Amino acid sequence: LTGCLCTGNPREDGVEIAISIARRLGAVYTSIYAPLYVGSKLVQEYFMREKQVAVAMKKIRSADIVLMGIGTVSRSSSVFRNNHITEKDLEDLVAGGCKAQLMGRMVREDGQEMMVKDKYVIAPPLEELKNVNWTVGIGASAAKAEAVKVAVTNKYINTLFVDEELARAVMK
């Protein structure tokens, strides 16, 4: 669903994860060979018009199932650990009420996206998730409880796979 973090870490990069899941399920996948974030609106628009990216974005409209991680807005998030957002960006996001990261997009408690200066996401709009039959969020650790609440209450996900620690934190 998104451009990649470009870390080379198969546990974090979407392309590697898609390949692994597709192999195990005998399924097919479409990759978006673009970075998760680009530095300008013009570059974002260019990528979104590129045929391969446009085809991938169009596929979400006919998808039956979407699998995605639920990210936090913290120093432990993959976008922070991999230097996609700075300490200042993180401070601004937290001060602005950002609680979750979904498809590389920063989301406030009310479900509205928060922009990060000079970070334009290569991903479909969050609203596209509401048109998919099964939007499956995956998460582990109690630290993601707030992010899960945002994703569920704003109907960005309708199915949840979590570990026991996160399930207990969400129930509280």
Side-chain angles (χ1 to χ4, degrees):
L1 296 174
T2 69
C4 68
L5 289 171
C6 303
T7 66
N9 181 345
R11 298 182 82 180
E12 290 185 335
D13 274 329
V15 173
E16 297 283 344
I17 294 168
I19 290 168
S20 177
I21 291 171
R23 280 188 185 140
R24 291 179 184 188
L25 297 177
V28 297
Y29 64 95
T30 301
S31 295
I32 298 173
Y33 293 102
L36 177 58
Y37 298 108
V38 294
S40 77
K41 184 75 172 159
L42 182 66
V43 174
Q44 179 194 41
E45 290 168 356
Y46 169 80
F47 269 110
M48 297 299 271
R49 283 192 311 266
E50 276 298 304
K51 183 177 180 182
Q52 187 264 336
V53 175
V55 166
M57 295 297 163
K58 187 176 180 182
K59 284 186 177 185
I60 191 175
R61 293 184 193 107
S62 62
D64 293 319
I65 302 171
V66 167
L67 302 174
M68 67 178 158
I70 300 168
T72 61
V73 181
S74 68
R75 287 177 184 80
S76 65
S77 73
S78 59
V79 294
F80 182 81
R81 286 192 331 271
N82 290 292
N83 301 311
H84 292 286
I85 60 171
T86 66
E87 187 73 39
K88 174 75 168 103
D89 294 334
L90 188 59
E91 289 171 8
D92 291 347
L93 288 165
V94 171
C98 189
K99 302 288 186 186
Q101 180 213 146
L102 303 170
M103 298 188 312
R105 298 183 183 277
M106 304 301 168
V107 186
R108 294 189 325 221
E109 190 169 4
D110 64 2
Q112 296 302 306
E113 181 177 352
M114 285 186 67
M115 299 302 295
V116 179
K117 184 178 189 251
D118 299 327
K119 300 291 182 203
Y120 297 85
V121 184
I122 306 299
L126 289 171
E127 289 302 311
E128 293 283 345
L129 295 171
K130 294 179 179 181
N131 300 319
V132 178
N133 291 332
W134 295 94
T135 48
V136 182
I138 302 167
S141 102
K144 293 191 176 186
E146 273 190 315
V148 166
K149 179 183 172 192
V150 168
V152 171
T153 58
N154 290 288
K155 299 184 169 109
Y156 293 129
I157 61 169
N158 59 29
T159 306
L160 191 57
F161 284 93
V162 298
D163 65 355
E164 184 176 347
E165 180 185 347
L166 180 50
R168 290 185 187 281
V170 169
M171 296 302 287
K172 283 184 182 177

